[in-house]
Amino acid sequence: MNNPPDRRTPYAVSPPRYSVAHQMVTTAFELPNFRVMQNLGVVRGIVVRSRNIFATIGAAVQTIVGGNITVWTTLCEQTRADAFEIMIQHATEIGANAVVGERYDKTELSAEVNEVLAYGTAVIVEPKNAGESYRS
């Protein structure tokens, strides 16, 4: 019996057929050596997370000692990574091969629950020099 591969996103958005490589996502509004052929619109990945009681207790202890609160740093980094992956899946669903203007936003929904949003503009790009490819 085949076990499905682990997904990095918290819910199924589309089949995992990435056409947007991670290196084709940028916070800039253009990619060097590529020209935007088509703008496909805004894509986003949303993750809502809560802190668990054990992490909160651990963070409280770390707050007393001072320094980096690693429990929350890890939670924040994983949440951003999940939101990023969902955004890439959304871009893939609409046929993009790049995302420009990528940003993150966060909203506190309640004292213990936060939403993290990764968003950008899905585009179709092609190399400026004919015959080149962005895939190795």
Side-chain angles (χ1 to χ4, degrees), residues 40-83:
L40 301 175
V42 174
V43 289
R44 62 192 162 273
I46 300 170
V47 175
V48 177
R49 288 268 163 84
S50 66
R51 293 174 271 175
N52 71 47
I53 189 68
F54 301 111
T56 301
I57 292 168
V61 170
Q62 281 186 311
T63 303
I64 294 167
V65 181
N68 183 20
I69 303 173
T70 56
V71 173
W72 286 347
T73 301
T74 302
L75 178 66
C76 290
E77 183 56 39
Q78 185 59 56
T79 303
R80 286 185 187 100
D82 290 345

Side-chain angles (χ1 to χ4, degrees), residues 2 6 22 25 28 45-46 53 61 65 108 110 115:
N2 289 338
D6 291 337
H22 285 205
V25 178
I46 300 170
I53 189 68
V61 170
V65 181
E108 188 173 343
S110 71
E115 169 209 39

